[in-house]
Amino acid sequence: MEPRSGRRRFLARPWVSRREIDDDSGDPLRVALPARRPGPKRVILLEDLTWQLSDWQLGGGKRVSWGFPIFVNLQGVPVVVIGAGAVAERKVSALLEAGARVTVVAPDATPAIDSWAADGRLALKRRRYEAGDLRGARLAYAATGDDEVNRGVRLEALREGAWLNAVDQPDLCDFISPAVVRRGDLTLAISTNGRAPGLAKRIREQLEGHFHEEYGAVVEQAAAERDRLRAGPSATAGGASADPATAVEGAGSSLPAAGRQGRVFLVGAGPGDIDLITVKGLKLLQAADVVVYDALVDKRVLECCRRGACLHYVGKRDKRHTKPQAEINELLIQEARAGRLVVRLKGGDPFIFGRGGEEAEALAAAGVAFEVVPGVSAGIGVPAYAGIPLTHRDFTSELVFVTGHECGNGRQPVDWKRYAAGSASIVIFMGLHSLPEVARQLLAHGRDPECPVAVIENGTTAEQRTLVAPLARVAEQVSAAGVQPPALVVIGEVVRLRDKIAWRREQQGSLVEGAI
Ligand SMILES: C[S@@+](CC[C@H](N)C(=O)[O-])C[C@H]1O[C@@H](n2cnc3c(N)ncnc32)[C@H](O)[C@@H]1O
């Protein structure tokens, strides 16, 4: 609508700038603007307002600020969302979670919004927005992607006294959504005033690492403690800690170490590919005060540690142990007793041939709290990356994990006779040096000399190489090829499937595929 000259005087002051801006929630926005017009109240004619809004966009001057943070109780509060696409769905989902009484107006809706409507969780008006739809609303969202409609909604929101968030149009917004971390009753909201949503997202991810799930329980405990203190001394007599912070066992390095009990997390880092660490393992790594790691842990994983974390290398490779196990146990115990969150990062899974059991025993004996975060064992991950399914209905329904370490030194804990007779897939950890002896045992007890064996060096990493040979000749071929640790040995008919399903390109190197 063309502005009428008589009304121009209302618009003498520029209200806002035309900066690039975004919504901190991650929903993209394009251009910044609004500031509430100061001055005496007046009756606003719709034509004025339409004109005035477009003038805002053209003006320069004051920077917009959504700088006043509040947390609002939306339980039972009427909220209207105009539009029902993907962005609207995210808004609606959060509103429903907050207990708002939601009405959605849109001719078409996403399947999720449709199903919430079908379940009676919200009211859905399947039509375009009409003036009057915001009647009674306290909060409104315009998520139509249609500038004209959104501006109509803006006008009605002003008339109704409802606060509006218009997706992608900050010039129409009364409020924007922050990036949020939730841990039970703990809510952390991050805003860059919409100026750097990417940064807000990164900060949120960092906070998620620091304030992991336990913080929900921490708030509960702190609240319970507060209630007890309020109820008077008799209620606290014989109770637990008077300081809620001491309940935060290992809950994150952002709390002061003094007065807090430490905790050790025995975390599996996965077999080599750094992306194979679990989400929980990664979060703990980002939060840890101290990280104690092994030789098989890829150093790039350690880049995820927070700045200031103390890293201890206690690696062992073959017979070259840098630190005796007893000293490693003692280090974990001392760091935890100093109130620190300790991550003991081990290759693969901590409880598979990783001495994780021994460390857990030592921690338990010392009365130090600990948790185990399983990892993808080399026994699982390495054959998978080599295209070998360890079980297959056509070949075997048995799988054994064994260590080759004990075989060469007189002890014989593995029942080779039993495995020679069956069709089990045999996965051997640390089996490179003992391979000639293992092959000899299996052949002596009747395993087929043509049974295929895969020896996978540096599995799951960019340097992965695989040698396949028949059981009778594998030891000599491994020796000729100069296979180096870490290497995993897989024995069984399932190895043949590699011909069909090896899905990963490997390094061209000295390893030759033997005939099987
Ligand atoms: C001390 S064990 C630790 C196993 C670990 N806890 C796990 O669950 O994978 C080390 C052995 O695991 C196997 N291994 C570990 N990482 C490997 C890799 N990337 N490629 C091949 N074998 C690997 C090798 O047999 C190596 O000698």
Side-chain angles (χ1 to χ4, degrees), residues 11 27 98 170 352:
L11 306 162
D27 298 333
I352 300 290

Side-chain angles (χ1 to χ4, degrees), residues 271 296 347-349 352-354 377-379 382 428-430 456 458-459 486-488:
L296 282 177
D349 178 89
I352 300 290
F353 301 125
S377 172
V382 170
I428 308 176
F429 293 74
M430 298 167 280
I456 307 144
N458 282 315
L488 195 83

Side-chain angles (χ1 to χ4, degrees), residues 178-192:
V180 170
V181 178
R182 277 187 211 287
R183 300 291 183 246
D185 277 343
L186 176 69
T187 305
L188 307 174
I190 305 129
S191 171
T192 60

Side-chain angles (χ1 to χ4, degrees), residues 270-273 294 296 316-318 346-356 375-382 401-403 405 428-432 455-461 464 484-489:
D273 179 345
D294 280 345
L296 282 177
K316 327 168 198 176
R317 211 155 221 193
D318 286 341
K346 303 175 81 73
D349 178 89
F351 276 7
I352 300 290
F353 301 125
R355 299 215 177 171
V376 177
S377 172
I380 301 292
V382 170
F401 280 7
V402 296
T403 167
H405 239 179
I428 308 176
F429 293 74
M430 298 167 280
L432 208 50
V455 181
I456 307 144
E457 180 189 271
N458 282 315
T460 78
T461 72
Q464 174 176 314
Q484 296 297 315
L488 195 83
V489 179

Side-chain angles (χ1 to χ4, degrees), residues 393-447:
R393 284 192 302 168
D394 295 342
F395 294 99
T396 184
S397 41
E398 278 183 278
L399 167 63
V400 286
F401 280 7
V402 296
T403 167
H405 239 179
E406 310 293 351
C407 301
N409 58 9
R411 284 185 284 165
Q412 196 56 263
V414 181
D415 187 354
W416 295 113
K417 186 173 176 188
R418 180 169 154 218
Y419 301 131
S423 63
S425 301
I426 306 169
V427 176
I428 308 176
F429 293 74
M430 298 167 280
L432 208 50
H433 298 309
S434 56
L435 189 56
E437 174 63 10
V438 169
R440 197 186 64 73
Q441 291 274 349
L442 289 172
L443 291 168
H445 290 109
R447 191 83 179 219

